[in-house]
Amino acid sequence: MQQQNERTAAGAALSDVVLDLFRVNNGLLTQGDRLVAPLGLTSARWQVLGTIVAAERPQPVAWLARDMGGNRQNVQRIVNDLAKEGWVAFADNPHHRRASLIVLTDLGREAYNAAMKLQAPWINRLAEGMSLEDIAVLRQVLSTLQARLTEDGVGDAQA
């Protein structure tokens, strides 16, 4: 009989995967930083720009953080840095006086587009030898894991 404080076989296997994910995340951030450094970007700035681009309309920082699965304060700091560079601007939010909407500027769009031109050959190289089916399974597993973290309050951007 399994004790409550003991891992199941699946729990132990997932624990190993989580450690692998930490290493992969660190590698992605390091390589991403190197890739976009000539543009004056970091992986974090690039991610925020990408989240703004992916949004259907301008959003406040809290919504961007939620979409990224990040911390609002960290995203606010990055947005402030991007604003100093002229890559984003703050717009009035008709629904909330204090929560400005974040708008991508033409300069920001140029930086993002330049980053994506660098990203294409890099990501294609990373994907070599992987089947679309394996990538789809990986994405589904990560999505399930993210949903469970959010249910537990761990993946909540406001936590």
Side-chain angles (χ1 to χ4, degrees), residues 68-108:
M68 293 171 58
N71 176 284
R72 187 194 60 75
Q73 291 84 356
N74 290 342
V75 174
Q76 182 68 64
R77 181 186 52 76
I78 295 165
V79 165
N80 291 344
D81 291 345
L82 292 170
K84 287 177 190 169
E85 298 288 338
W87 292 335
V88 300
F90 299 98
D92 289 338
N93 183 344
H95 304 291
H96 196 289
R97 271 186 318 169
R98 292 178 43 214
S100 296
L101 299 175
I102 310 307
V103 180
L104 194 66
T105 64
D106 290 342
L107 197 59

PDB file of all heavy atoms in Angstrom, residues 68-108:
ATOM      1  N   MET A  68       0.946  35.083 -20.429  1.00  0.00           N
ATOM      2  CA  MET A  68       2.303  34.529 -20.424  1.00  0.00           C
ATOM      3  C   MET A  68       2.500  33.488 -19.330  1.00  0.00           C
ATOM      4  O   MET A  68       3.493  32.773 -19.336  1.00  0.00           O
ATOM      5  CB  MET A  68       3.323  35.658 -20.197  1.00  0.00           C
ATOM      6  CG  MET A  68       3.407  36.652 -21.320  1.00  0.00           C
ATOM      7  SD  MET A  68       4.413  38.092 -20.891  1.00  0.00           S
ATOM      8  CE  MET A  68       5.967  37.331 -20.474  1.00  0.00           C
ATOM      9  N   GLY A  69       1.578  33.447 -18.371  1.00  0.00           N
ATOM     10  CA  GLY A  69       1.773  32.586 -17.211  1.00  0.00           C
ATOM     11  C   GLY A  69       2.845  33.157 -16.300  1.00  0.00           C
ATOM     12  O   GLY A  69       3.536  32.430 -15.603  1.00  0.00           O
ATOM     13  N   GLY A  70       2.966  34.482 -16.311  1.00  0.00           N
ATOM     14  CA  GLY A  70       4.016  35.149 -15.544  1.00  0.00           C
ATOM     15  C   GLY A  70       3.478  35.981 -14.402  1.00  0.00           C
ATOM     16  O   GLY A  70       2.273  36.040 -14.156  1.00  0.00           O
ATOM     17  N   ASN A  71       4.391  36.633 -13.742  1.00  0.00           N
ATOM     18  CA  ASN A  71       4.097  37.478 -12.598  1.00  0.00           C
ATOM     19  C   ASN A  71       3.862  38.909 -13.079  1.00  0.00           C
ATOM     20  O   ASN A  71       4.662  39.445 -13.846  1.00  0.00           O
ATOM     21  CB  ASN A  71       5.292  37.393 -11.644  1.00  0.00           C
ATOM     22  CG  ASN A  71       5.167  38.287 -10.456  1.00  0.00           C
ATOM     23  OD1 ASN A  71       5.362  39.494 -10.560  1.00  0.00           O
ATOM     24  ND2 ASN A  71       4.859  37.689  -9.326  1.00  0.00           N
ATOM     25  N   ARG A  72       2.778  39.536 -12.622  1.00  0.00           N
ATOM     26  CA  ARG A  72       2.424  40.872 -13.075  1.00  0.00           C
ATOM     27  C   ARG A  72       3.541  41.879 -12.832  1.00  0.00           C
ATOM     28  O   ARG A  72       3.858  42.702 -13.693  1.00  0.00           O
ATOM     29  CB  ARG A  72       1.130  41.353 -12.413  1.00  0.00           C
ATOM     30  CG  ARG A  72       0.618  42.684 -12.993  1.00  0.00           C
ATOM     31  CD  ARG A  72      -0.452  43.318 -12.134  1.00  0.00           C
ATOM     32  NE  ARG A  72      -0.029  43.617 -10.788  1.00  0.00           N
ATOM     33  CZ  ARG A  72       0.782  44.634 -10.445  1.00  0.00           C
ATOM     34  NH1 ARG A  72       1.276  45.421 -11.352  1.00  0.00           N
ATOM     35  NH2 ARG A  72       1.099  44.825  -9.180  1.00  0.00           N
ATOM     36  N   GLN A  73       4.170  41.826 -11.672  1.00  0.00           N
ATOM     37  CA  GLN A  73       5.230  42.785 -11.354  1.00  0.00           C
ATOM     38  C   GLN A  73       6.423  42.634 -12.293  1.00  0.00           C
ATOM     39  O   GLN A  73       7.006  43.632 -12.728  1.00  0.00           O
ATOM     40  CB  GLN A  73       5.685  42.641  -9.890  1.00  0.00           C
ATOM     41  CG  GLN A  73       4.650  43.087  -8.886  1.00  0.00           C
ATOM     42  CD  GLN A  73       3.620  41.996  -8.555  1.00  0.00           C
ATOM     43  OE1 GLN A  73       3.604  40.906  -9.119  1.00  0.00           O
ATOM     44  NE2 GLN A  73       2.716  42.319  -7.635  1.00  0.00           N
ATOM     45  N   ASN A  74       6.784  41.401 -12.620  1.00  0.00           N
ATOM     46  CA  ASN A  74       7.897  41.176 -13.547  1.00  0.00           C
ATOM     47  C   ASN A  74       7.559  41.681 -14.948  1.00  0.00           C
ATOM     48  O   ASN A  74       8.389  42.302 -15.609  1.00  0.00           O
ATOM     49  CB  ASN A  74       8.268  39.692 -13.618  1.00  0.00           C
ATOM     50  CG  ASN A  74       8.925  39.203 -12.344  1.00  0.00           C
ATOM     51  OD1 ASN A  74       9.415  39.980 -11.536  1.00  0.00           O
ATOM     52  ND2 ASN A  74       8.918  37.895 -12.156  1.00  0.00           N
ATOM     53  N   VAL A  75       6.342  41.412 -15.386  1.00  0.00           N
ATOM     54  CA  VAL A  75       5.926  41.873 -16.709  1.00  0.00           C
ATOM     55  C   VAL A  75       5.869  43.402 -16.727  1.00  0.00           C
ATOM     56  O   VAL A  75       6.281  44.033 -17.706  1.00  0.00           O
ATOM     57  CB  VAL A  75       4.588  41.234 -17.132  1.00  0.00           C
ATOM     58  CG1 VAL A  75       4.085  41.813 -18.442  1.00  0.00           C
ATOM     59  CG2 VAL A  75       4.746  39.713 -17.243  1.00  0.00           C
ATOM     60  N   GLN A  76       5.410  44.014 -15.648  1.00  0.00           N
ATOM     61  CA  GLN A  76       5.367  45.480 -15.575  1.00  0.00           C
ATOM     62  C   GLN A  76       6.767  46.067 -15.716  1.00  0.00           C
ATOM     63  O   GLN A  76       6.965  47.043 -16.435  1.00  0.00           O
ATOM     64  CB  GLN A  76       4.747  45.940 -14.251  1.00  0.00           C
ATOM     65  CG  GLN A  76       4.619  47.454 -14.131  1.00  0.00           C
ATOM     66  CD  GLN A  76       3.592  48.013 -15.090  1.00  0.00           C
ATOM     67  OE1 GLN A  76       2.409  47.697 -14.976  1.00  0.00           O
ATOM     68  NE2 GLN A  76       4.024  48.838 -16.034  1.00  0.00           N
ATOM     69  N   ARG A  77       7.736  45.467 -15.046  1.00  0.00           N
ATOM     70  CA  ARG A  77       9.122  45.946 -15.137  1.00  0.00           C
ATOM     71  C   ARG A  77       9.625  45.865 -16.575  1.00  0.00           C
ATOM     72  O   ARG A  77      10.234  46.815 -17.088  1.00  0.00           O
ATOM     73  CB  ARG A  77      10.024  45.127 -14.201  1.00  0.00           C
ATOM     74  CG  ARG A  77      11.476  45.558 -14.195  1.00  0.00           C
ATOM     75  CD  ARG A  77      12.342  44.623 -13.367  1.00  0.00           C
ATOM     76  NE  ARG A  77      12.216  43.223 -13.687  1.00  0.00           N
ATOM     77  CZ  ARG A  77      12.741  42.630 -14.753  1.00  0.00           C
ATOM     78  NH1 ARG A  77      13.439  43.316 -15.624  1.00  0.00           N
ATOM     79  NH2 ARG A  77      12.587  41.334 -14.951  1.00  0.00           N
ATOM     80  N   ILE A  78       9.336  44.762 -17.247  1.00  0.00           N
ATOM     81  CA  ILE A  78       9.775  44.588 -18.640  1.00  0.00           C
ATOM     82  C   ILE A  78       9.056  45.584 -19.549  1.00  0.00           C
ATOM     83  O   ILE A  78       9.678  46.192 -20.431  1.00  0.00           O
ATOM     84  CB  ILE A  78       9.558  43.129 -19.092  1.00  0.00           C
ATOM     85  CG1 ILE A  78      10.465  42.197 -18.287  1.00  0.00           C
ATOM     86  CG2 ILE A  78       9.816  42.984 -20.590  1.00  0.00           C
ATOM     87  CD1 ILE A  78      10.103  40.729 -18.385  1.00  0.00           C
ATOM     88  N   VAL A  79       7.757  45.763 -19.351  1.00  0.00           N
ATOM     89  CA  VAL A  79       6.996  46.730 -20.151  1.00  0.00           C
ATOM     90  C   VAL A  79       7.569  48.129 -19.961  1.00  0.00           C
ATOM     91  O   VAL A  79       7.708  48.892 -20.928  1.00  0.00           O
ATOM     92  CB  VAL A  79       5.488  46.663 -19.803  1.00  0.00           C
ATOM     93  CG1 VAL A  79       4.742  47.885 -20.322  1.00  0.00           C
ATOM     94  CG2 VAL A  79       4.872  45.385 -20.355  1.00  0.00           C
ATOM     95  N   ASN A  80       7.915  48.480 -18.731  1.00  0.00           N
ATOM     96  CA  ASN A  80       8.516  49.795 -18.480  1.00  0.00           C
ATOM     97  C   ASN A  80       9.826  49.944 -19.246  1.00  0.00           C
ATOM     98  O   ASN A  80      10.099  51.004 -19.822  1.00  0.00           O
ATOM     99  CB  ASN A  80       8.745  50.012 -16.985  1.00  0.00           C
ATOM    100  CG  ASN A  80       7.452  50.165 -16.211  1.00  0.00           C
ATOM    101  OD1 ASN A  80       6.386  50.401 -16.774  1.00  0.00           O
ATOM    102  ND2 ASN A  80       7.538  50.010 -14.903  1.00  0.00           N
ATOM    103  N   ASP A  81      10.640  48.886 -19.266  1.00  0.00           N
ATOM    104  CA  ASP A  81      11.896  48.911 -20.030  1.00  0.00           C
ATOM    105  C   ASP A  81      11.617  49.058 -21.527  1.00  0.00           C
ATOM    106  O   ASP A  81      12.302  49.818 -22.215  1.00  0.00           O
ATOM    107  CB  ASP A  81      12.707  47.629 -19.792  1.00  0.00           C
ATOM    108  CG  ASP A  81      13.276  47.538 -18.380  1.00  0.00           C
ATOM    109  OD1 ASP A  81      13.307  48.560 -17.664  1.00  0.00           O
ATOM    110  OD2 ASP A  81      13.683  46.416 -17.995  1.00  0.00           O
ATOM    111  N   LEU A  82      10.626  48.324 -22.022  1.00  0.00           N
ATOM    112  CA  LEU A  82      10.265  48.412 -23.440  1.00  0.00           C
ATOM    113  C   LEU A  82       9.761  49.808 -23.789  1.00  0.00           C
ATOM    114  O   LEU A  82      10.041  50.325 -24.874  1.00  0.00           O
ATOM    115  CB  LEU A  82       9.216  47.357 -23.792  1.00  0.00           C
ATOM    116  CG  LEU A  82       9.672  45.900 -23.761  1.00  0.00           C
ATOM    117  CD1 LEU A  82       8.472  44.961 -23.899  1.00  0.00           C
ATOM    118  CD2 LEU A  82      10.696  45.623 -24.845  1.00  0.00           C
ATOM    119  N   ALA A  83       9.043  50.429 -22.878  1.00  0.00           N
ATOM    120  CA  ALA A  83       8.539  51.791 -23.107  1.00  0.00           C
ATOM    121  C   ALA A  83       9.702  52.783 -23.177  1.00  0.00           C
ATOM    122  O   ALA A  83       9.694  53.690 -24.021  1.00  0.00           O
ATOM    123  CB  ALA A  83       7.554  52.190 -22.009  1.00  0.00           C
ATOM    124  N   LYS A  84      10.702  52.606 -22.332  1.00  0.00           N
ATOM    125  CA  LYS A  84      11.887  53.485 -22.364  1.00  0.00           C
ATOM    126  C   LYS A  84      12.613  53.385 -23.704  1.00  0.00           C
ATOM    127  O   LYS A  84      13.196  54.353 -24.173  1.00  0.00           O
ATOM    128  CB  LYS A  84      12.850  53.134 -21.229  1.00  0.00           C
ATOM    129  CG  LYS A  84      12.373  53.556 -19.866  1.00  0.00           C
ATOM    130  CD  LYS A  84      13.348  53.115 -18.781  1.00  0.00           C
ATOM    131  CE  LYS A  84      12.737  53.319 -17.407  1.00  0.00           C
ATOM    132  NZ  LYS A  84      13.524  52.669 -16.353  1.00  0.00           N
ATOM    133  N   GLU A  85      12.579  52.194 -24.307  1.00  0.00           N
ATOM    134  CA  GLU A  85      13.214  51.967 -25.607  1.00  0.00           C
ATOM    135  C   GLU A  85      12.340  52.455 -26.764  1.00  0.00           C
ATOM    136  O   GLU A  85      12.781  52.466 -27.909  1.00  0.00           O
ATOM    137  CB  GLU A  85      13.515  50.476 -25.807  1.00  0.00           C
ATOM    138  CG  GLU A  85      14.480  49.882 -24.809  1.00  0.00           C
ATOM    139  CD  GLU A  85      15.912  50.337 -25.009  1.00  0.00           C
ATOM    140  OE1 GLU A  85      16.272  50.764 -26.126  1.00  0.00           O
ATOM    141  OE2 GLU A  85      16.674  50.280 -24.028  1.00  0.00           O
ATOM    142  N   GLY A  86      11.087  52.799 -26.466  1.00  0.00           N
ATOM    143  CA  GLY A  86      10.167  53.241 -27.505  1.00  0.00           C
ATOM    144  C   GLY A  86       9.498  52.106 -28.253  1.00  0.00           C
ATOM    145  O   GLY A  86       8.920  52.320 -29.321  1.00  0.00           O
ATOM    146  N   TRP A  87       9.552  50.888 -27.702  1.00  0.00           N
ATOM    147  CA  TRP A  87       8.981  49.723 -28.368  1.00  0.00           C
ATOM    148  C   TRP A  87       7.523  49.498 -28.024  1.00  0.00           C
ATOM    149  O   TRP A  87       6.813  48.811 -28.737  1.00  0.00           O
ATOM    150  CB  TRP A  87       9.814  48.488 -28.075  1.00  0.00           C
ATOM    151  CG  TRP A  87      11.175  48.534 -28.712  1.00  0.00           C
ATOM    152  CD1 TRP A  87      11.527  49.250 -29.822  1.00  0.00           C
ATOM    153  CD2 TRP A  87      12.344  47.858 -28.298  1.00  0.00           C
ATOM    154  NE1 TRP A  87      12.856  49.041 -30.108  1.00  0.00           N
ATOM    155  CE2 TRP A  87      13.383  48.191 -29.187  1.00  0.00           C
ATOM    156  CE3 TRP A  87      12.628  46.991 -27.251  1.00  0.00           C
ATOM    157  CZ2 TRP A  87      14.672  47.692 -29.072  1.00  0.00           C
ATOM    158  CZ3 TRP A  87      13.917  46.493 -27.128  1.00  0.00           C
ATOM    159  CH2 TRP A  87      14.925  46.839 -28.036  1.00  0.00           C
ATOM    160  N   VAL A  88       7.089  50.030 -26.891  1.00  0.00           N
ATOM    161  CA  VAL A  88       5.674  49.991 -26.521  1.00  0.00           C
ATOM    162  C   VAL A  88       5.293  51.364 -25.984  1.00  0.00           C
ATOM    163  O   VAL A  88       6.159  52.156 -25.603  1.00  0.00           O
ATOM    164  CB  VAL A  88       5.334  48.907 -25.458  1.00  0.00           C
ATOM    165  CG1 VAL A  88       5.668  47.511 -25.958  1.00  0.00           C
ATOM    166  CG2 VAL A  88       6.000  49.199 -24.127  1.00  0.00           C
ATOM    167  N   ALA A  89       3.987  51.606 -25.966  1.00  0.00           N
ATOM    168  CA  ALA A  89       3.460  52.846 -25.409  1.00  0.00           C
ATOM    169  C   ALA A  89       2.269  52.498 -24.520  1.00  0.00           C
ATOM    170  O   ALA A  89       1.687  51.418 -24.635  1.00  0.00           O
ATOM    171  CB  ALA A  89       3.046  53.799 -26.525  1.00  0.00           C
ATOM    172  N   PHE A  90       1.941  53.425 -23.648  1.00  0.00           N
ATOM    173  CA  PHE A  90       0.798  53.247 -22.756  1.00  0.00           C
ATOM    174  C   PHE A  90      -0.380  54.031 -23.318  1.00  0.00           C
ATOM    175  O   PHE A  90      -0.228  55.181 -23.732  1.00  0.00           O
ATOM    176  CB  PHE A  90       1.133  53.745 -21.345  1.00  0.00           C
ATOM    177  CG  PHE A  90       2.264  53.003 -20.712  1.00  0.00           C
ATOM    178  CD1 PHE A  90       3.551  53.519 -20.740  1.00  0.00           C
ATOM    179  CD2 PHE A  90       2.055  51.787 -20.077  1.00  0.00           C
ATOM    180  CE1 PHE A  90       4.613  52.838 -20.160  1.00  0.00           C
ATOM    181  CE2 PHE A  90       3.112  51.096 -19.494  1.00  0.00           C
ATOM    182  CZ  PHE A  90       4.393  51.620 -19.536  1.00  0.00           C
ATOM    183  N   ALA A  91      -1.553  53.405 -23.344  1.00  0.00           N
ATOM    184  CA  ALA A  91      -2.769  54.054 -23.826  1.00  0.00           C
ATOM    185  C   ALA A  91      -3.826  54.012 -22.727  1.00  0.00           C
ATOM    186  O   ALA A  91      -3.827  53.106 -21.890  1.00  0.00           O
ATOM    187  CB  ALA A  91      -3.278  53.342 -25.081  1.00  0.00           C
ATOM    188  N   ASP A  92      -4.699  54.995 -22.749  1.00  0.00           N
ATOM    189  CA  ASP A  92      -5.787  55.027 -21.769  1.00  0.00           C
ATOM    190  C   ASP A  92      -6.668  53.798 -21.921  1.00  0.00           C
ATOM    191  O   ASP A  92      -6.957  53.350 -23.030  1.00  0.00           O
ATOM    192  CB  ASP A  92      -6.636  56.285 -21.943  1.00  0.00           C
ATOM    193  CG  ASP A  92      -5.909  57.545 -21.497  1.00  0.00           C
ATOM    194  OD1 ASP A  92      -4.964  57.435 -20.692  1.00  0.00           O
ATOM    195  OD2 ASP A  92      -6.287  58.629 -21.970  1.00  0.00           O
ATOM    196  N   ASN A  93      -7.076  53.269 -20.787  1.00  0.00           N
ATOM    197  CA  ASN A  93      -7.964  52.115 -20.743  1.00  0.00           C
ATOM    198  C   ASN A  93      -9.346  52.627 -20.353  1.00  0.00           C
ATOM    199  O   ASN A  93      -9.539  53.094 -19.231  1.00  0.00           O
ATOM    200  CB  ASN A  93      -7.448  51.103 -19.706  1.00  0.00           C
ATOM    201  CG  ASN A  93      -8.263  49.840 -19.654  1.00  0.00           C
ATOM    202  OD1 ASN A  93      -9.375  49.776 -20.149  1.00  0.00           O
ATOM    203  ND2 ASN A  93      -7.711  48.819 -19.021  1.00  0.00           N
ATOM    204  N   PRO A  94     -10.321  52.548 -21.251  1.00  0.00           N
ATOM    205  CA  PRO A  94     -11.649  53.071 -20.925  1.00  0.00           C
ATOM    206  C   PRO A  94     -12.356  52.288 -19.815  1.00  0.00           C
ATOM    207  O   PRO A  94     -13.310  52.787 -19.222  1.00  0.00           O
ATOM    208  CB  PRO A  94     -12.420  52.938 -22.252  1.00  0.00           C
ATOM    209  CG  PRO A  94     -11.689  51.912 -23.036  1.00  0.00           C
ATOM    210  CD  PRO A  94     -10.251  51.989 -22.598  1.00  0.00           C
ATOM    211  N   HIS A  95     -11.853  51.099 -19.492  1.00  0.00           N
ATOM    212  CA  HIS A  95     -12.493  50.261 -18.471  1.00  0.00           C
ATOM    213  C   HIS A  95     -11.822  50.350 -17.108  1.00  0.00           C
ATOM    214  O   HIS A  95     -12.370  49.847 -16.124  1.00  0.00           O
ATOM    215  CB  HIS A  95     -12.518  48.800 -18.931  1.00  0.00           C
ATOM    216  CG  HIS A  95     -13.182  48.619 -20.256  1.00  0.00           C
ATOM    217  ND1 HIS A  95     -14.528  48.793 -20.439  1.00  0.00           N
ATOM    218  CD2 HIS A  95     -12.679  48.320 -21.480  1.00  0.00           C
ATOM    219  CE1 HIS A  95     -14.832  48.593 -21.706  1.00  0.00           C
ATOM    220  NE2 HIS A  95     -13.726  48.308 -22.362  1.00  0.00           N
ATOM    221  N   HIS A  96     -10.626  50.956 -17.065  1.00  0.00           N
ATOM    222  CA  HIS A  96      -9.896  51.013 -15.795  1.00  0.00           C
ATOM    223  C   HIS A  96      -8.884  52.149 -15.867  1.00  0.00           C
ATOM    224  O   HIS A  96      -7.946  52.088 -16.651  1.00  0.00           O
ATOM    225  CB  HIS A  96      -9.191  49.674 -15.564  1.00  0.00           C
ATOM    226  CG  HIS A  96      -8.738  49.468 -14.161  1.00  0.00           C
ATOM    227  ND1 HIS A  96      -7.688  50.176 -13.603  1.00  0.00           N
ATOM    228  CD2 HIS A  96      -9.179  48.638 -13.199  1.00  0.00           C
ATOM    229  CE1 HIS A  96      -7.502  49.777 -12.362  1.00  0.00           C
ATOM    230  NE2 HIS A  96      -8.397  48.841 -12.088  1.00  0.00           N
ATOM    231  N   ARG A  97      -9.085  53.166 -15.038  1.00  0.00           N
ATOM    232  CA  ARG A  97      -8.221  54.350 -15.087  1.00  0.00           C
ATOM    233  C   ARG A  97      -6.752  54.050 -14.823  1.00  0.00           C
ATOM    234  O   ARG A  97      -5.874  54.649 -15.428  1.00  0.00           O
ATOM    235  CB  ARG A  97      -8.683  55.393 -14.058  1.00  0.00           C
ATOM    236  CG  ARG A  97      -9.699  56.355 -14.556  1.00  0.00           C
ATOM    237  CD  ARG A  97      -9.974  57.409 -13.533  1.00  0.00           C
ATOM    238  NE  ARG A  97     -10.057  56.821 -12.200  1.00  0.00           N
ATOM    239  CZ  ARG A  97     -10.076  57.486 -11.081  1.00  0.00           C
ATOM    240  NH1 ARG A  97     -10.017  58.784 -11.092  1.00  0.00           N
ATOM    241  NH2 ARG A  97     -10.167  56.884  -9.920  1.00  0.00           N
ATOM    242  N   ARG A  98      -6.476  53.157 -13.878  1.00  0.00           N
ATOM    243  CA  ARG A  98      -5.092  52.927 -13.456  1.00  0.00           C
ATOM    244  C   ARG A  98      -4.366  51.848 -14.246  1.00  0.00           C
ATOM    245  O   ARG A  98      -3.146  51.753 -14.158  1.00  0.00           O
ATOM    246  CB  ARG A  98      -5.077  52.585 -11.966  1.00  0.00           C
ATOM    247  CG  ARG A  98      -5.474  53.785 -11.118  1.00  0.00           C
ATOM    248  CD  ARG A  98      -5.532  53.493  -9.635  1.00  0.00           C
ATOM    249  NE  ARG A  98      -4.439  52.691  -9.150  1.00  0.00           N
ATOM    250  CZ  ARG A  98      -4.554  51.793  -8.172  1.00  0.00           C
ATOM    251  NH1 ARG A  98      -5.707  51.582  -7.589  1.00  0.00           N
ATOM    252  NH2 ARG A  98      -3.510  51.098  -7.789  1.00  0.00           N
ATOM    253  N   ALA A  99      -5.095  51.034 -14.978  1.00  0.00           N
ATOM    254  CA  ALA A  99      -4.475  49.930 -15.726  1.00  0.00           C
ATOM    255  C   ALA A  99      -4.386  50.302 -17.207  1.00  0.00           C
ATOM    256  O   ALA A  99      -5.264  49.967 -17.989  1.00  0.00           O
ATOM    257  CB  ALA A  99      -5.266  48.641 -15.534  1.00  0.00           C
ATOM    258  N   SER A 100      -3.322  50.992 -17.576  1.00  0.00           N
ATOM    259  CA  SER A 100      -3.140  51.409 -18.966  1.00  0.00           C
ATOM    260  C   SER A 100      -3.064  50.203 -19.891  1.00  0.00           C
ATOM    261  O   SER A 100      -2.636  49.118 -19.486  1.00  0.00           O
ATOM    262  CB  SER A 100      -1.846  52.212 -19.114  1.00  0.00           C
ATOM    263  OG  SER A 100      -1.913  53.402 -18.381  1.00  0.00           O
ATOM    264  N   LEU A 101      -3.466  50.444 -21.132  1.00  0.00           N
ATOM    265  CA  LEU A 101      -3.326  49.417 -22.160  1.00  0.00           C
ATOM    266  C   LEU A 101      -1.930  49.527 -22.765  1.00  0.00           C
ATOM    267  O   LEU A 101      -1.400  50.636 -22.915  1.00  0.00           O
ATOM    268  CB  LEU A 101      -4.379  49.615 -23.248  1.00  0.00           C
ATOM    269  CG  LEU A 101      -5.832  49.522 -22.778  1.00  0.00           C
ATOM    270  CD1 LEU A 101      -6.775  49.855 -23.921  1.00  0.00           C
ATOM    271  CD2 LEU A 101      -6.137  48.149 -22.205  1.00  0.00           C
ATOM    272  N   ILE A 102      -1.335  48.396 -23.100  1.00  0.00           N
ATOM    273  CA  ILE A 102       0.003  48.371 -23.675  1.00  0.00           C
ATOM    274  C   ILE A 102      -0.140  48.223 -25.186  1.00  0.00           C
ATOM    275  O   ILE A 102      -0.769  47.287 -25.671  1.00  0.00           O
ATOM    276  CB  ILE A 102       0.842  47.213 -23.095  1.00  0.00           C
ATOM    277  CG1 ILE A 102       0.779  47.214 -21.563  1.00  0.00           C
ATOM    278  CG2 ILE A 102       2.272  47.291 -23.601  1.00  0.00           C
ATOM    279  CD1 ILE A 102       1.133  48.538 -20.895  1.00  0.00           C
ATOM    280  N   VAL A 103       0.473  49.157 -25.908  1.00  0.00           N
ATOM    281  CA  VAL A 103       0.365  49.215 -27.356  1.00  0.00           C
ATOM    282  C   VAL A 103       1.756  49.072 -27.966  1.00  0.00           C
ATOM    283  O   VAL A 103       2.697  49.750 -27.541  1.00  0.00           O
ATOM    284  CB  VAL A 103      -0.265  50.556 -27.804  1.00  0.00           C
ATOM    285  CG1 VAL A 103      -0.381  50.626 -29.307  1.00  0.00           C
ATOM    286  CG2 VAL A 103      -1.612  50.765 -27.133  1.00  0.00           C
ATOM    287  N   LEU A 104       1.872  48.218 -28.939  1.00  0.00           N
ATOM    288  CA  LEU A 104       3.133  48.040 -29.658  1.00  0.00           C
ATOM    289  C   LEU A 104       3.341  49.232 -30.597  1.00  0.00           C
ATOM    290  O   LEU A 104       2.428  49.607 -31.333  1.00  0.00           O
ATOM    291  CB  LEU A 104       3.073  46.735 -30.452  1.00  0.00           C
ATOM    292  CG  LEU A 104       4.371  46.192 -31.017  1.00  0.00           C
ATOM    293  CD1 LEU A 104       5.309  45.780 -29.894  1.00  0.00           C
ATOM    294  CD2 LEU A 104       4.087  44.999 -31.912  1.00  0.00           C
ATOM    295  N   THR A 105       4.523  49.830 -30.575  1.00  0.00           N
ATOM    296  CA  THR A 105       4.836  50.923 -31.493  1.00  0.00           C
ATOM    297  C   THR A 105       5.403  50.344 -32.786  1.00  0.00           C
ATOM    298  O   THR A 105       5.706  49.150 -32.865  1.00  0.00           O
ATOM    299  CB  THR A 105       5.875  51.878 -30.879  1.00  0.00           C
ATOM    300  OG1 THR A 105       7.099  51.158 -30.700  1.00  0.00           O
ATOM    301  CG2 THR A 105       5.391  52.451 -29.545  1.00  0.00           C
ATOM    302  N   ASP A 106       5.562  51.192 -33.788  1.00  0.00           N
ATOM    303  CA  ASP A 106       6.178  50.736 -35.042  1.00  0.00           C
ATOM    304  C   ASP A 106       7.586  50.214 -34.784  1.00  0.00           C
ATOM    305  O   ASP A 106       7.999  49.199 -35.356  1.00  0.00           O
ATOM    306  CB  ASP A 106       6.220  51.880 -36.069  1.00  0.00           C
ATOM    307  CG  ASP A 106       4.837  52.235 -36.596  1.00  0.00           C
ATOM    308  OD1 ASP A 106       3.903  51.406 -36.460  1.00  0.00           O
ATOM    309  OD2 ASP A 106       4.686  53.343 -37.141  1.00  0.00           O
ATOM    310  N   LEU A 107       8.323  50.888 -33.907  1.00  0.00           N
ATOM    311  CA  LEU A 107       9.679  50.456 -33.554  1.00  0.00           C
ATOM    312  C   LEU A 107       9.645  49.082 -32.880  1.00  0.00           C
ATOM    313  O   LEU A 107      10.488  48.217 -33.153  1.00  0.00           O
ATOM    314  CB  LEU A 107      10.322  51.496 -32.623  1.00  0.00           C
ATOM    315  CG  LEU A 107      11.820  51.461 -32.446  1.00  0.00           C
ATOM    316  CD1 LEU A 107      12.553  51.631 -33.766  1.00  0.00           C
ATOM    317  CD2 LEU A 107      12.228  52.560 -31.467  1.00  0.00           C
ATOM    318  N   GLY A 108       8.658  48.873 -32.019  1.00  0.00           N
ATOM    319  CA  GLY A 108       8.491  47.578 -31.361  1.00  0.00           C
ATOM    320  C   GLY A 108       8.154  46.472 -32.339  1.00  0.00           C
ATOM    321  O   GLY A 108       8.660  45.353 -32.235  1.00  0.00           O
TER     322      GLY A 108
END
